[in-house]
Each structure stands twice: as structure tokens, then as C-alpha cells.
Amino acid sequence: KRTRFTAPSTISRRAASRSGGIFDYEGRSERLTEVLRELEDPTVWSKPDRAQELGRERNRLEGVVGTLDRLKTGLTEAAELLELAESDADEGMVAAVEQDVAGIEREVAKLEFQRMFPGEMDSHNAFLDIQAGAGGTEAQDWAQMLMRMYLRWADKRGFKTEMTDSSDGEVAGIKSCSIRFEGEYAYGWLR
């Protein structure tokens, strides 16, 4: 069975230009340079909140820019290997290149997923308040179920949680609680 492939140079050019446009590679790369320049300025450390925000922004930008650089390099290497494999008719190398490209596709899908959180605060930590309201024991029981649901959800996502406030119900459940969620895009997920 012979597999037909698009010319490798076409693959890497098309993918690189498409990904760069979708993820605004140039804009983020320029912003990363600006942020790094600001962080090098010793006066920024006199304002700890500003320095902390710049540090978080640097981490986000480095994550996207670094990943896009890695993906571009991976696509270029895959294209070159594919060209060699086709010229040598090496099916094993073709299969290895297909696996590499599948890994690259997964990373692109992850970046595309993160694009769902374009808000300024989406990448920050979050607080969630649950109030039973005036529904009596059933509402208090339901509030406790919601609390457990969110805590389990956070655990599965790898978020660190801290119960900052909790008020037990009279018979069962809780009257209210406040939970702090700490992790990447916690606010975006909970929004």
C-alpha cells in the first residue's frame, strides 16, 4: 500500500504560516521582548505587584512562543525526514514521521484550546462562592454537592484548592462556602 504525501516544504510552510497567524506569533514575540526588557529594569522590582504580573505574562508568552518555535522546528525536521524516507522507500521511517507529526498535531490542538481563554484575567487564579440561599435543608444539601463537584473537578484538572470559608447547614449540607482555585487558566475555566 503506497501512501501519497504532500511535498514536505509545502507542509511546513503552510503549517507555520497558519499557526503563526492564528496564534499571533510575531505580536507575542514582540511583546515577550518588551516584557523581558521591563523585567531587566531594576525599578520594576520596587512595585512587586507589577513585577509579579510581568513575570506571569512572561511565562505565558514564553509558553506560546517557545511551543511555536519547537513546532516549527519539528515540522521542518519531519519534512526533511519524510523526503529522505520517500527517496529511500523506507516505510518504517515514514511511520516514525507520522508519529512525530501526530505529536505536533496534539500540541497545536492544545494551543488552539488555550485560545478559548482570551480574557485578560482568564489565566489567573479564581475564587468561587456557593450560597445555599433560602431553600432550607435541600438547598444546603445541594450546595454541599456543588462544593464537592467543584473540588473533584479541580482535582482532575490539577488545580490547587483551598477552602477559605465554610458555614455548615443546620441539619445537613452547607449554608455557604468560598473556595480558592489556583492553577493555569482557573478563572477562564470557572468563568
Side-chain angles (χ1 to χ4, degrees):
K1 175 176 151 178
R2 179 90 172 136
T3 308
R4 186 166 176 83
F5 294 99
T6 306
S9 59
T10 306
I11 293 171
S12 60
R13 270 198 316 271
R14 216 176 25 208
S17 67
R18 185 180 62 170
S19 295
I22 290 173
F23 300 113
D24 187 24
Y25 177 82
E26 288 182 20
R28 289 177 190 234
S29 185
E30 288 173 13
R31 179 63 186 148
L32 178 59
T33 303
E34 291 173 18
V35 168
L36 291 173
R37 195 174 304 125
E38 282 187 60
L39 285 171
E40 289 174 355
D41 183 9
T43 60
V44 77
W45 301 104
S46 63
K47 300 175 185 171
D49 291 340
R50 175 70 178 147
Q52 206 172 40
E53 180 60 36
L54 285 171
R56 281 193 295 266
E57 185 177 4
R58 179 195 62 206
N59 289 340
R60 284 191 307 272
L61 291 169
E62 283 178 341
V64 173
V65 171
T67 300
L68 288 173
D69 286 340
R70 227 179 32 259
L71 293 175
K72 184 177 179 183
T73 302
L75 281 174
T76 302
E77 290 173 357
E80 292 168 359
L81 284 174
L82 183 59
E83 197 172 285
L84 280 172
E86 283 187 324
S87 69
D88 294 346
D90 185 348
E91 301 252 345
M93 190 181 288
V94 169
V97 170
E98 286 176 345
Q99 284 183 334
D100 290 346
V101 170
I104 291 170
E105 286 177 345
R106 283 190 297 275
E107 286 196 57
V108 169
K110 184 178 175 185
L111 282 175
E112 287 175 342
F113 178 75
Q114 289 176 349
R115 286 184 52 232
M116 289 183 357
F117 304 113
E120 183 180 333
M121 300 301 293
D122 285 348
S123 63
H124 289 73
N125 300 327
F127 283 91
L128 174 71
D129 291 326
I130 299 173
Q131 305 287 329
T137 304
E138 288 86 15
Q140 292 171 6
D141 197 31
W142 177 244
Q144 186 174 28
M145 284 187 247
L146 281 174
M147 177 191 72
R148 279 194 238 138
M149 179 190 74
Y150 277 110
L151 290 173
R152 287 186 182 138
W153 172 84
D155 189 45
K156 285 183 183 178
R157 290 251 176 250
F159 292 140
K160 184 178 170 185
T161 57
E162 176 188 354
M163 187 80 63
T164 58
D165 184 37
S166 180
S167 175
D168 290 335
E170 294 163 7
V171 177
I174 60 169
K175 290 182 181 178
S176 66
C177 73
S178 293
I179 308 168
R180 182 177 191 271
F181 292 82
E182 186 177 323
E184 194 172 344
Y185 295 99
Y187 182 85
W189 276 106
L190 288 166
R191 181 172 49 91

